Amino acid sequence: MWQLGDHSLTSRLLIGSAQYPSPTTMVEALRASQAEVVTVSLRRQQPDTDAGRRFWDLIRDTGLRVLPNTAGCRTAKEAITIARMARELFETNWIKLEVIGDDYTLQPDTLELCQAAATLVEDGFEVLPYTTEDLVVARKLVDAGCRVLMPWAAPIGSGQGPLNPYALRTLRDRFPDIPLICDAGLGRPSHAAMVMEMGFDAVLINSAVALADDPVVMAQAFAAAVNAGRYAFEAGLMTTREMAVPSTPVLGTPFWHANPVT
């Protein structure tokens, strides 16, 4: 069990609901992931259309906790408006806060992000900000009242895996009591295991599962990788060494003649 805001969760894998080849595949993948939290975008799945209503019905039927996000927002004002709409629709104060500042990398606009975070926290939201691995920005978000941080590993949907492991480890070291969820850029189960071995509390996956040839099997793979990485972190990883060290010591081992005397 681990704590995310005021809620205790068992699974350390959060999953997105976009880009799946069909609604049926999406539901099967969500279930196969064993995730307890699913992210949804209010802007991209309009609840006031027939398609939007069918989508929301599918999400509700999974029984997963909904984490609305402000995907597609470009300003703090826009993100705040979407967050308040999501709270009314889903009756939750959880919000994954995204404020994008660059169309090419989809990198967060950290200035607008911090401004929106401060306003939403004051407004009673549990803000989970999608941010970069920048330590100073992370500190400003925590000072604004965020109790969770969601740094990227690489640009959204790139699948490149952790581009700056040093910075991610630094965040873990500097914020030991803040839940860290690695969000964006993880393309393989091994990438998820890598950040979990660093001590991250969870990962959020979408594209790597939804765009796989078999999203259901890939969801299972990520679930296993997240567990493996967490177990490894808790067990304590061995220290890397510059030189080889024999796993079977030589000292005290008896030697026999190649041609024993008869």
Side-chain angles (χ1 to χ4, degrees):
M1 298 289 288
W2 66 291
Q3 201 72 17
L4 182 58
D6 296 326
H7 298 273
S8 297
L9 301 174
T10 300
S11 174
R12 293 179 179 271
L13 175 62
L14 288 71
I15 193 163
S17 57
Q19 305 184 82
Y20 291 89
S22 71
T24 299
T25 300
M26 178 193 72
V27 172
E28 291 177 353
L30 296 185
R31 289 172 175 161
S33 73
Q34 302 178 37
E36 296 169 89
V37 177
V38 59
T39 63
V40 297
S41 172
L42 189 61
R43 291 196 60 179
R44 293 172 181 165
Q45 296 292 344
Q46 300 284 343
D48 56 351
T49 65
D50 289 342
R53 283 190 290 271
R54 287 194 295 270
F55 172 80
W56 297 126
D57 288 342
L58 285 173
I59 292 295
R60 290 190 182 96
D61 289 345
T62 66
L64 275 65
R65 181 176 181 84
V66 173
L67 172 59
N69 67 48
T70 62
C73 292
R74 306 286 173 172
T75 65
K77 181 179 180 180
E78 187 179 14
I80 291 167
T81 299
I82 293 295
R84 288 170 175 164
M85 291 172 59
R87 179 163 61 182
E88 291 184 11
L89 178 64
F90 297 108
E91 298 180 348
T92 178
N93 66 339
W94 274 18
I95 192 70
K96 181 192 170 192
L97 181 61
E98 300 182 30
V99 185
I100 301 302
D102 182 75
D103 290 333
Y104 181 73
T105 64
L106 298 182
Q107 180 170 326
D109 183 327
T110 54
L111 296 177
E112 294 286 315
L113 179 70
C114 291
Q115 178 185 336
T119 299
L120 290 173
V121 168
E122 186 175 350
D123 201 18
F125 282 88
E126 181 73 61
V127 178
L128 288 73
Y130 162 61
T131 182
T132 66
E133 74 278 32
D134 188 282
L135 177 63
V136 175
V137 173
R139 171 57 63 192
K140 290 183 180 298
L141 289 167
V142 172
D143 289 345
C146 296
R147 298 193 294 170
V148 180
L149 297 174
M150 302 183 73
W152 69 353
I156 293 174
S158 69
Q160 297 181 70
L163 295 180
N164 194 343
Y166 170 79
L168 294 176
R169 291 190 182 95
T170 299
L171 285 180
R172 179 69 290 171
D173 291 342
R174 294 293 294 274
F175 299 100
D177 300 322
I178 297 291
L180 297 181
I181 302 172
C182 191
D183 176 19
L186 302 180
R188 303 179 181 182
S190 57
H191 294 158
M194 183 187 305
V195 295
M196 293 301 293
E197 288 174 357
M198 295 178 189
F200 273 64
D201 295 275
V203 300
L204 173 58
I205 298 295
N206 192 169
S207 299
V209 171
L211 301 181
D213 292 340
D214 190 331
V216 176
V217 173
M218 187 60 77
Q220 294 173 329
F222 269 98
V226 167
N227 287 335
R230 183 63 189 185
Y231 291 150
F233 171 73
E234 292 177 346
L237 299 171
M238 70 171 288
T239 303
T240 57
R241 304 183 177 104
E242 294 294 329
M243 301 294 292
V245 177
S247 57
T248 303
V250 176
L251 185 65
T253 302
F255 292 87
W256 288 269
H257 294 287
N259 298 305
V261 178
T262 57

